[in-house]
Amino acid sequence: MIIAIDFDGTIHTGVYSSIGLPRTHAREVIHSLRANGHYVIIWTCRTGEDLLEAVNWLLEKGIEFDKINDNHP
């Protein structure tokens, strides 16, 4: 299954354009989805430096994903 997850306010507690703390169990749930064969897309309206900040935050927090703002190939 392809699952798109909104970034702001869903994966973290912040409100655009700030990034807050990871939501409780967000990393574990997303990891579990991917481990069970689901394709995870992070969906956000962020662009430019804001998008880069979001991607870096996800990587720093160990939140894995397959694509960001893109469709399954």
Side-chain angles (χ1 to χ4, degrees), residues 17-72:
S17 69
S18 66
I19 300 176
L21 299 172
R23 290 260 184 216
T24 304
H25 306 297
R27 185 177 62 80
E28 293 83 4
V29 169
I30 294 170
H31 175 79
S32 178
L33 289 169
R34 292 186 76 241
N36 286 306
H38 300 291
Y39 194 89
V40 174
I41 300 171
I42 304 299
W43 207 255
T44 181
C45 291
R46 291 171 176 263
T47 59
E49 288 297 318
D50 288 337
L51 179 58
L52 181 59
E53 180 184 16
V55 170
N56 287 335
W57 184 89
L58 289 163
L59 296 173
E60 288 169 7
K61 301 300 181 195
I63 299 175
E64 301 170 349
F65 55 93
D66 295 295
K67 295 271 186 167
I68 189 159
N69 290 344
D70 199 3
N71 297 318
H72 187 275

